[in-house]
Amino acid sequence: MPAVRPAAKGAALLLLAAGLTACSVLAVSGDRTPVSDRPTVRPPRQVLLSASQRLDDAGGARVTVVREGPAGRRSADGTLSWGASDSAELTVTDERGTGRLHGQDGALELGYPGAAPRTADRSGAESLDPAAAGAAGWAGGWITGLLSNPGGPAHTMALAGRLTPLGGEELNGGTVARYRGTAPVADYFGADEGLSPARLTEVLGYYERNGVETLDYEFWVAPGDRLLRVRSTVRGTAGAVVTTTDIAEGAEPAAEPLPAEPLPVEPSAVPSAVASAGRTP
């Protein structure tokens, strides 16, 4: 599972950003000037790069993901780790029901009650998406997104997007800073050094077929550059798909691997909207 590239690679960009990017007074950043107690002024790009690097350094997180769009609702909850050994332990609810997704060093397994687990390696993660119908091609990034360091979008949007500070708001009992980033699809994915040329072509083709031209992200950053929430909005010919990821950094992954047969789930645990969900961009 790809980790965020070191923030040091963006050092030159940070120097330019200080003069070229509209600055925001990040009153919740915890930074103070040496001669007063007033908050320092920090460019949004610097905040997002620092937040993504902090999460990368944390080595793991607990995530809660909700994706909603014209085709229905999907959700996931669990732990991720990255670094020397990558892992994922997630409960996933989608149009197949509620299953369990296990990942360990690139080997993936997704199982639902009453069905044999499906397996894939990281390069074929999208084949586990119900919308992919068994194909190995890109299916909108749902499974790939679940398995990735959630700080990755902040890093990529900081490099490729137009950033706007939205001020402060209350989240999780404290005041946090909120930012918006917008980028053309080609610019955003072109800034992701983890994509091979073949995969980049496949991803761009998917978004083009679905009429998606730009990607919109919002980021909530708490004091100390702690990334607490990421929300993406993808608007295409079928409508808008909104994915919100809440993040608690440093959560320990489950110690034991998932059993071969997922635990049974009560029918009432599957929202009716999920049962009719189809492919979403």
Side-chain angles (χ1 to χ4, degrees), residues 195-217:
L195 292 178
S196 67
R199 178 59 100 181
L200 178 60
T201 298
E202 186 177 22
V203 171
L204 295 182
Y206 171 87
Y207 285 104
E208 182 178 4
R209 291 191 301 273
N210 286 277
V212 180
E213 297 181 353
T214 62
L215 298 176
D216 296 312
Y217 274 89

PDB file of all heavy atoms in Angstrom, residues 195-217:
ATOM      1  N   LEU A 195       1.536   6.003  -9.635  1.00  0.00           N
ATOM      2  CA  LEU A 195       0.818   5.409 -10.751  1.00  0.00           C
ATOM      3  C   LEU A 195       1.767   5.150 -11.918  1.00  0.00           C
ATOM      4  O   LEU A 195       2.486   6.049 -12.354  1.00  0.00           O
ATOM      5  CB  LEU A 195      -0.313   6.331 -11.219  1.00  0.00           C
ATOM      6  CG  LEU A 195      -1.493   6.531 -10.278  1.00  0.00           C
ATOM      7  CD1 LEU A 195      -2.484   7.513 -10.890  1.00  0.00           C
ATOM      8  CD2 LEU A 195      -2.175   5.211  -9.979  1.00  0.00           C
ATOM      9  N   SER A 196       1.743   3.937 -12.432  1.00  0.00           N
ATOM     10  CA  SER A 196       2.512   3.631 -13.633  1.00  0.00           C
ATOM     11  C   SER A 196       1.846   4.295 -14.832  1.00  0.00           C
ATOM     12  O   SER A 196       0.659   4.645 -14.784  1.00  0.00           O
ATOM     13  CB  SER A 196       2.568   2.123 -13.850  1.00  0.00           C
ATOM     14  OG  SER A 196       1.270   1.623 -14.173  1.00  0.00           O
ATOM     15  N   PRO A 197       2.561   4.481 -15.941  1.00  0.00           N
ATOM     16  CA  PRO A 197       1.926   5.070 -17.132  1.00  0.00           C
ATOM     17  C   PRO A 197       0.696   4.291 -17.581  1.00  0.00           C
ATOM     18  O   PRO A 197      -0.313   4.897 -17.979  1.00  0.00           O
ATOM     19  CB  PRO A 197       3.045   5.026 -18.172  1.00  0.00           C
ATOM     20  CG  PRO A 197       4.310   5.101 -17.365  1.00  0.00           C
ATOM     21  CD  PRO A 197       4.016   4.309 -16.120  1.00  0.00           C
ATOM     22  N   ALA A 198       0.752   2.959 -17.505  1.00  0.00           N
ATOM     23  CA  ALA A 198      -0.399   2.156 -17.934  1.00  0.00           C
ATOM     24  C   ALA A 198      -1.593   2.374 -17.016  1.00  0.00           C
ATOM     25  O   ALA A 198      -2.737   2.517 -17.475  1.00  0.00           O
ATOM     26  CB  ALA A 198      -0.016   0.681 -17.971  1.00  0.00           C
ATOM     27  N   ARG A 199      -1.348   2.415 -15.703  1.00  0.00           N
ATOM     28  CA  ARG A 199      -2.441   2.616 -14.757  1.00  0.00           C
ATOM     29  C   ARG A 199      -2.999   4.029 -14.878  1.00  0.00           C
ATOM     30  O   ARG A 199      -4.215   4.234 -14.784  1.00  0.00           O
ATOM     31  CB  ARG A 199      -1.961   2.368 -13.334  1.00  0.00           C
ATOM     32  CG  ARG A 199      -3.023   2.612 -12.274  1.00  0.00           C
ATOM     33  CD  ARG A 199      -4.236   1.727 -12.487  1.00  0.00           C
ATOM     34  NE  ARG A 199      -4.220   0.588 -11.608  1.00  0.00           N
ATOM     35  CZ  ARG A 199      -5.149  -0.351 -11.588  1.00  0.00           C
ATOM     36  NH1 ARG A 199      -6.171  -0.263 -12.422  1.00  0.00           N
ATOM     37  NH2 ARG A 199      -5.072  -1.374 -10.784  1.00  0.00           N
ATOM     38  N   LEU A 200      -2.137   5.013 -15.096  1.00  0.00           N
ATOM     39  CA  LEU A 200      -2.597   6.379 -15.271  1.00  0.00           C
ATOM     40  C   LEU A 200      -3.538   6.475 -16.471  1.00  0.00           C
ATOM     41  O   LEU A 200      -4.596   7.116 -16.386  1.00  0.00           O
ATOM     42  CB  LEU A 200      -1.402   7.314 -15.454  1.00  0.00           C
ATOM     43  CG  LEU A 200      -1.739   8.785 -15.708  1.00  0.00           C
ATOM     44  CD1 LEU A 200      -2.528   9.385 -14.552  1.00  0.00           C
ATOM     45  CD2 LEU A 200      -0.450   9.588 -15.946  1.00  0.00           C
ATOM     46  N   THR A 201      -3.183   5.841 -17.565  1.00  0.00           N
ATOM     47  CA  THR A 201      -4.040   5.852 -18.753  1.00  0.00           C
ATOM     48  C   THR A 201      -5.386   5.210 -18.448  1.00  0.00           C
ATOM     49  O   THR A 201      -6.441   5.711 -18.866  1.00  0.00           O
ATOM     50  CB  THR A 201      -3.356   5.111 -19.907  1.00  0.00           C
ATOM     51  OG1 THR A 201      -2.138   5.786 -20.245  1.00  0.00           O
ATOM     52  CG2 THR A 201      -4.252   5.048 -21.138  1.00  0.00           C
ATOM     53  N   GLU A 202      -5.378   4.130 -17.689  1.00  0.00           N
ATOM     54  CA  GLU A 202      -6.610   3.427 -17.340  1.00  0.00           C
ATOM     55  C   GLU A 202      -7.507   4.288 -16.451  1.00  0.00           C
ATOM     56  O   GLU A 202      -8.721   4.384 -16.672  1.00  0.00           O
ATOM     57  CB  GLU A 202      -6.258   2.121 -16.626  1.00  0.00           C
ATOM     58  CG  GLU A 202      -7.452   1.239 -16.338  1.00  0.00           C
ATOM     59  CD  GLU A 202      -7.024  -0.083 -15.703  1.00  0.00           C
ATOM     60  OE1 GLU A 202      -5.921  -0.148 -15.127  1.00  0.00           O
ATOM     61  OE2 GLU A 202      -7.799  -1.038 -15.787  1.00  0.00           O
ATOM     62  N   VAL A 203      -6.907   4.936 -15.462  1.00  0.00           N
ATOM     63  CA  VAL A 203      -7.669   5.774 -14.543  1.00  0.00           C
ATOM     64  C   VAL A 203      -8.271   6.977 -15.279  1.00  0.00           C
ATOM     65  O   VAL A 203      -9.460   7.289 -15.121  1.00  0.00           O
ATOM     66  CB  VAL A 203      -6.773   6.246 -13.384  1.00  0.00           C
ATOM     67  CG1 VAL A 203      -7.487   7.297 -12.540  1.00  0.00           C
ATOM     68  CG2 VAL A 203      -6.372   5.060 -12.516  1.00  0.00           C
ATOM     69  N   LEU A 204      -7.462   7.651 -16.079  1.00  0.00           N
ATOM     70  CA  LEU A 204      -7.958   8.812 -16.816  1.00  0.00           C
ATOM     71  C   LEU A 204      -9.065   8.411 -17.782  1.00  0.00           C
ATOM     72  O   LEU A 204     -10.046   9.156 -17.967  1.00  0.00           O
ATOM     73  CB  LEU A 204      -6.809   9.493 -17.566  1.00  0.00           C
ATOM     74  CG  LEU A 204      -5.706  10.115 -16.704  1.00  0.00           C
ATOM     75  CD1 LEU A 204      -4.666  10.782 -17.588  1.00  0.00           C
ATOM     76  CD2 LEU A 204      -6.278  11.107 -15.698  1.00  0.00           C
ATOM     77  N   GLY A 205      -8.942   7.229 -18.383  1.00  0.00           N
ATOM     78  CA  GLY A 205      -9.982   6.742 -19.285  1.00  0.00           C
ATOM     79  C   GLY A 205     -11.291   6.515 -18.558  1.00  0.00           C
ATOM     80  O   GLY A 205     -12.372   6.813 -19.092  1.00  0.00           O
ATOM     81  N   TYR A 206     -11.216   5.995 -17.342  1.00  0.00           N
ATOM     82  CA  TYR A 206     -12.428   5.770 -16.552  1.00  0.00           C
ATOM     83  C   TYR A 206     -13.160   7.081 -16.300  1.00  0.00           C
ATOM     84  O   TYR A 206     -14.377   7.192 -16.519  1.00  0.00           O
ATOM     85  CB  TYR A 206     -12.072   5.103 -15.222  1.00  0.00           C
ATOM     86  CG  TYR A 206     -13.248   5.043 -14.276  1.00  0.00           C
ATOM     87  CD1 TYR A 206     -14.149   3.990 -14.320  1.00  0.00           C
ATOM     88  CD2 TYR A 206     -13.473   6.079 -13.355  1.00  0.00           C
ATOM     89  CE1 TYR A 206     -15.248   3.958 -13.467  1.00  0.00           C
ATOM     90  CE2 TYR A 206     -14.567   6.044 -12.506  1.00  0.00           C
ATOM     91  CZ  TYR A 206     -15.451   4.982 -12.561  1.00  0.00           C
ATOM     92  OH  TYR A 206     -16.538   4.963 -11.731  1.00  0.00           O
ATOM     93  N   TYR A 207     -12.445   8.097 -15.829  1.00  0.00           N
ATOM     94  CA  TYR A 207     -13.087   9.362 -15.514  1.00  0.00           C
ATOM     95  C   TYR A 207     -13.605  10.058 -16.772  1.00  0.00           C
ATOM     96  O   TYR A 207     -14.659  10.710 -16.744  1.00  0.00           O
ATOM     97  CB  TYR A 207     -12.130  10.258 -14.729  1.00  0.00           C
ATOM     98  CG  TYR A 207     -11.984   9.818 -13.292  1.00  0.00           C
ATOM     99  CD1 TYR A 207     -10.847   9.150 -12.853  1.00  0.00           C
ATOM    100  CD2 TYR A 207     -13.001  10.045 -12.382  1.00  0.00           C
ATOM    101  CE1 TYR A 207     -10.724   8.726 -11.533  1.00  0.00           C
ATOM    102  CE2 TYR A 207     -12.889   9.631 -11.066  1.00  0.00           C
ATOM    103  CZ  TYR A 207     -11.760   8.964 -10.652  1.00  0.00           C
ATOM    104  OH  TYR A 207     -11.653   8.535  -9.348  1.00  0.00           O
ATOM    105  N   GLU A 208     -12.889   9.925 -17.874  1.00  0.00           N
ATOM    106  CA  GLU A 208     -13.368  10.516 -19.116  1.00  0.00           C
ATOM    107  C   GLU A 208     -14.675   9.868 -19.563  1.00  0.00           C
ATOM    108  O   GLU A 208     -15.620  10.563 -19.969  1.00  0.00           O
ATOM    109  CB  GLU A 208     -12.306  10.374 -20.205  1.00  0.00           C
ATOM    110  CG  GLU A 208     -12.705  11.010 -21.524  1.00  0.00           C
ATOM    111  CD  GLU A 208     -11.620  10.904 -22.575  1.00  0.00           C
ATOM    112  OE1 GLU A 208     -10.573  10.271 -22.301  1.00  0.00           O
ATOM    113  OE2 GLU A 208     -11.822  11.434 -23.678  1.00  0.00           O
ATOM    114  N   ARG A 209     -14.758   8.542 -19.471  1.00  0.00           N
ATOM    115  CA  ARG A 209     -15.986   7.841 -19.865  1.00  0.00           C
ATOM    116  C   ARG A 209     -17.168   8.241 -18.998  1.00  0.00           C
ATOM    117  O   ARG A 209     -18.317   8.215 -19.444  1.00  0.00           O
ATOM    118  CB  ARG A 209     -15.785   6.323 -19.785  1.00  0.00           C
ATOM    119  CG  ARG A 209     -14.849   5.764 -20.823  1.00  0.00           C
ATOM    120  CD  ARG A 209     -14.909   4.245 -20.868  1.00  0.00           C
ATOM    121  NE  ARG A 209     -14.577   3.628 -19.591  1.00  0.00           N
ATOM    122  CZ  ARG A 209     -13.347   3.338 -19.200  1.00  0.00           C
ATOM    123  NH1 ARG A 209     -12.304   3.642 -19.982  1.00  0.00           N
ATOM    124  NH2 ARG A 209     -13.133   2.755 -18.029  1.00  0.00           N
ATOM    125  N   ASN A 210     -16.898   8.602 -17.753  1.00  0.00           N
ATOM    126  CA  ASN A 210     -17.971   8.979 -16.828  1.00  0.00           C
ATOM    127  C   ASN A 210     -18.186  10.488 -16.752  1.00  0.00           C
ATOM    128  O   ASN A 210     -18.929  10.963 -15.889  1.00  0.00           O
ATOM    129  CB  ASN A 210     -17.675   8.412 -15.439  1.00  0.00           C
ATOM    130  CG  ASN A 210     -17.916   6.914 -15.371  1.00  0.00           C
ATOM    131  OD1 ASN A 210     -19.045   6.467 -15.187  1.00  0.00           O
ATOM    132  ND2 ASN A 210     -16.858   6.132 -15.551  1.00  0.00           N
ATOM    133  N   GLY A 211     -17.549  11.237 -17.659  1.00  0.00           N
ATOM    134  CA  GLY A 211     -17.795  12.661 -17.739  1.00  0.00           C
ATOM    135  C   GLY A 211     -17.267  13.472 -16.578  1.00  0.00           C
ATOM    136  O   GLY A 211     -17.797  14.544 -16.273  1.00  0.00           O
ATOM    137  N   VAL A 212     -16.210  12.998 -15.931  1.00  0.00           N
ATOM    138  CA  VAL A 212     -15.623  13.711 -14.787  1.00  0.00           C
ATOM    139  C   VAL A 212     -14.425  14.515 -15.277  1.00  0.00           C
ATOM    140  O   VAL A 212     -13.477  13.946 -15.822  1.00  0.00           O
ATOM    141  CB  VAL A 212     -15.186  12.735 -13.685  1.00  0.00           C
ATOM    142  CG1 VAL A 212     -14.591  13.512 -12.513  1.00  0.00           C
ATOM    143  CG2 VAL A 212     -16.350  11.871 -13.240  1.00  0.00           C
ATOM    144  N   GLU A 213     -14.463  15.830 -15.072  1.00  0.00           N
ATOM    145  CA  GLU A 213     -13.385  16.688 -15.528  1.00  0.00           C
ATOM    146  C   GLU A 213     -12.511  17.207 -14.393  1.00  0.00           C
ATOM    147  O   GLU A 213     -11.319  17.427 -14.584  1.00  0.00           O
ATOM    148  CB  GLU A 213     -13.961  17.878 -16.308  1.00  0.00           C
ATOM    149  CG  GLU A 213     -14.709  17.462 -17.578  1.00  0.00           C
ATOM    150  CD  GLU A 213     -15.255  18.653 -18.334  1.00  0.00           C
ATOM    151  OE1 GLU A 213     -15.178  19.794 -17.801  1.00  0.00           O
ATOM    152  OE2 GLU A 213     -15.756  18.449 -19.459  1.00  0.00           O
ATOM    153  N   THR A 214     -13.102  17.432 -13.232  1.00  0.00           N
ATOM    154  CA  THR A 214     -12.340  17.943 -12.093  1.00  0.00           C
ATOM    155  C   THR A 214     -12.657  17.128 -10.847  1.00  0.00           C
ATOM    156  O   THR A 214     -13.698  16.476 -10.760  1.00  0.00           O
ATOM    157  CB  THR A 214     -12.664  19.425 -11.812  1.00  0.00           C
ATOM    158  OG1 THR A 214     -14.056  19.546 -11.485  1.00  0.00           O
ATOM    159  CG2 THR A 214     -12.330  20.289 -13.007  1.00  0.00           C
ATOM    160  N   LEU A 215     -11.749  17.197  -9.892  1.00  0.00           N
ATOM    161  CA  LEU A 215     -11.929  16.560  -8.591  1.00  0.00           C
ATOM    162  C   LEU A 215     -11.916  17.639  -7.523  1.00  0.00           C
ATOM    163  O   LEU A 215     -11.071  18.540  -7.545  1.00  0.00           O
ATOM    164  CB  LEU A 215     -10.814  15.548  -8.318  1.00  0.00           C
ATOM    165  CG  LEU A 215     -10.718  14.363  -9.282  1.00  0.00           C
ATOM    166  CD1 LEU A 215      -9.504  13.516  -8.921  1.00  0.00           C
ATOM    167  CD2 LEU A 215     -11.978  13.525  -9.263  1.00  0.00           C
ATOM    168  N   ASP A 216     -12.858  17.551  -6.600  1.00  0.00           N
ATOM    169  CA  ASP A 216     -12.942  18.499  -5.493  1.00  0.00           C
ATOM    170  C   ASP A 216     -12.707  17.759  -4.185  1.00  0.00           C
ATOM    171  O   ASP A 216     -13.313  16.712  -3.934  1.00  0.00           O
ATOM    172  CB  ASP A 216     -14.317  19.161  -5.453  1.00  0.00           C
ATOM    173  CG  ASP A 216     -14.588  19.998  -6.689  1.00  0.00           C
ATOM    174  OD1 ASP A 216     -13.716  20.787  -7.065  1.00  0.00           O
ATOM    175  OD2 ASP A 216     -15.676  19.848  -7.284  1.00  0.00           O
ATOM    176  N   TYR A 217     -11.834  18.320  -3.355  1.00  0.00           N
ATOM    177  CA  TYR A 217     -11.543  17.750  -2.041  1.00  0.00           C
ATOM    178  C   TYR A 217     -11.691  18.823  -0.974  1.00  0.00           C
ATOM    179  O   TYR A 217     -11.440  20.002  -1.220  1.00  0.00           O
ATOM    180  CB  TYR A 217     -10.108  17.211  -1.988  1.00  0.00           C
ATOM    181  CG  TYR A 217      -9.951  15.798  -2.485  1.00  0.00           C
ATOM    182  CD1 TYR A 217      -9.711  15.539  -3.828  1.00  0.00           C
ATOM    183  CD2 TYR A 217     -10.039  14.713  -1.613  1.00  0.00           C
ATOM    184  CE1 TYR A 217      -9.549  14.240  -4.289  1.00  0.00           C
ATOM    185  CE2 TYR A 217      -9.879  13.412  -2.062  1.00  0.00           C
ATOM    186  CZ  TYR A 217      -9.638  13.181  -3.394  1.00  0.00           C
ATOM    187  OH  TYR A 217      -9.489  11.899  -3.843  1.00  0.00           O
TER     188      TYR A 217
END
